[in-house]
Amino acid sequence: VGIRVNPDVTATTHPYTQTGGKGMKFGVPLDEAVAVARGIRDTPGLVLAGVGMHIGSQIGSPDPYAAGAAKLATLVGEIRAAGIDTLAGIDVGGGLGIAYTSAEQALDPFAFARALVPLHQRTGLPLLIEPGRFFVGNAGVLLTRVLYRKTSGGRTILVADAAMSDLLRPSLYRAHHPVWAPGHAPGTPEEVVDLVGPVCESGDFLALDRTLPRVEPGAVLAVGGAGAYGFTMSSQYNSRPRAAEVLTDGGRWAVTRTRETVDDLMRGETADPVWR
Ligand SMILES: Cc1ncc(COP(=O)(O)O)c(C=O)c1O
């Protein structure tokens, strides 16, 4: 087994995706880790194979990784000093940030590596990484059709058929996802819009204050950066069947998950409960 420690490192990212700080729910506190390691050693059938951390998600700087790595290196020394020599690797977690906008910069993988190499040098152990978003975040696009336009209080609102139930990140983290209007005629005048879904709360939006070419009901919009924490965080909230997933490869495409139906919403429900 491995011990995920809480290295008491807080990365600059949305508070909801910080996971490495003291008082957060994740990991074994650093000052308890050696005692936990001893407990593992003394438990028949268990071998302490590694220690690890995961300090958060969408992290743009290598610095918190370096800070966490220094603490893990010290911990490995303490575990070895306690006579435990079974460590086979160190898991440094994921969280490598990607660029959702052209103004943002993804975490430089070389800077990430440079932050972690000293951990390998100090311990001699192989390092494991768990990047999720970095691989797939910008590989996914959510396509949505504009249902209608309205104005309210001077704002132009596009109501689309996708909602917070399809892409939760804007509602949950106020995350910025790029929106494109593919296929609009060149020279179409631009306007500032809020792109919202049809779900019953004001927190249901995909993009606010966004400059887009004017689009009419029926137009398809593309919301970028939806490949990570997109479908996987989607839900059937508001009795909305979940979207289809389509894989593309050059000019080829294939449905890899069929669109849900109303029957899917009811699956598993019964009108005839067995009381116990
Ligand atoms: C333990 C652990 N490892 C890796 C990840 C992946 O994070 P990301 O997709 O930001 O790289 C997560 C995400 O929550 C996680 O909890």
Side-chain angles (χ1 to χ4, degrees), residues 234-254:
S234 69
S235 73
Q236 296 171 330
Y237 179 47
N238 262 223
S239 295
R240 291 167 50 84
R242 285 180 297 178
E245 286 190 299
V246 177
L247 188 67
T248 68
D249 174 25
R252 300 190 301 169
W253 61 273

Side-chain angles (χ1 to χ4, degrees), residues 4 54 57-58 94-96 130-133 229:
R4 173 176 174 177
H54 172 70
S57 267
Q58 187 56 10
L96 289 74
E130 303 175 20
R133 180 196 321 261
Y229 309 100

Side-chain angles (χ1 to χ4, degrees), residues 53-185:
M53 65 178 181
H54 172 70
I55 56 175
S57 267
Q58 187 56 10
I59 299 170
S61 160
D63 298 345
Y65 290 103
K71 294 190 175 181
L72 286 182
T74 303
L75 175 64
V76 167
E78 290 169 359
I79 290 174
R80 285 175 170 161
I84 301 166
D85 60 1
T86 51
L87 291 176
I90 303 176
D91 181 344
V92 296
L96 289 74
I98 64 170
Y100 284 97
T101 67
S102 51
E104 257 178 331
Q105 262 201 318
L107 177 61
D108 173 7
F110 294 99
F112 175 71
R114 278 194 298 274
L116 295 171
V117 163
L119 175 58
H120 169 67
Q121 288 169 332
R122 280 180 64 185
T123 61
L125 291 172
L127 306 182
L128 294 89
I129 61 173
E130 303 175 20
R133 180 196 321 261
F134 194 79
F135 284 143
V136 293
N138 278 327
V141 168
L142 172 70
L143 297 180
T144 182
R145 201 175 287 283
V146 176
L147 296 175
Y148 60 95
R149 307 171 49 95
K150 65 190 284 186
T151 51
S152 175
R155 301 183 77 84
T156 301
I157 299 170
L158 302 180
V159 183
D161 66 355
M164 63 188 290
S165 51
D166 302 295
L167 182 66
L168 185 59
R169 295 190 72 255
S171 303
L172 191 58
Y173 313 127
R174 280 246 172 189
H176 180 110
H177 285 257
V179 180
W180 303 287
H184 68 273

Side-chain angles (χ1 to χ4, degrees), residues 242-245 255-260:
R242 285 180 297 178
E245 286 190 299
V255 175
T256 50
R257 185 185 170 105
T258 52
R259 186 183 303 286
E260 288 184 346

Side-chain angles (χ1 to χ4, degrees), residues 254-273:
V255 175
T256 50
R257 185 185 170 105
T258 52
R259 186 183 303 286
E260 288 184 346
T261 64
V262 172
D263 281 347
D264 292 320
L265 298 181
M266 313 294 174
R267 192 179 312 285
E269 292 184 16
T270 178
D272 192 15

Side-chain angles (χ1 to χ4, degrees), residues 199-216:
V199 161
C200 62
E201 35 199 280
S202 299
D204 172 31
F205 56 83
L206 298 171
L208 300 178
D209 280 324
R210 210 56 73 78
T211 304
L212 283 182
R214 184 186 164 104
V215 291
E216 301 301 329

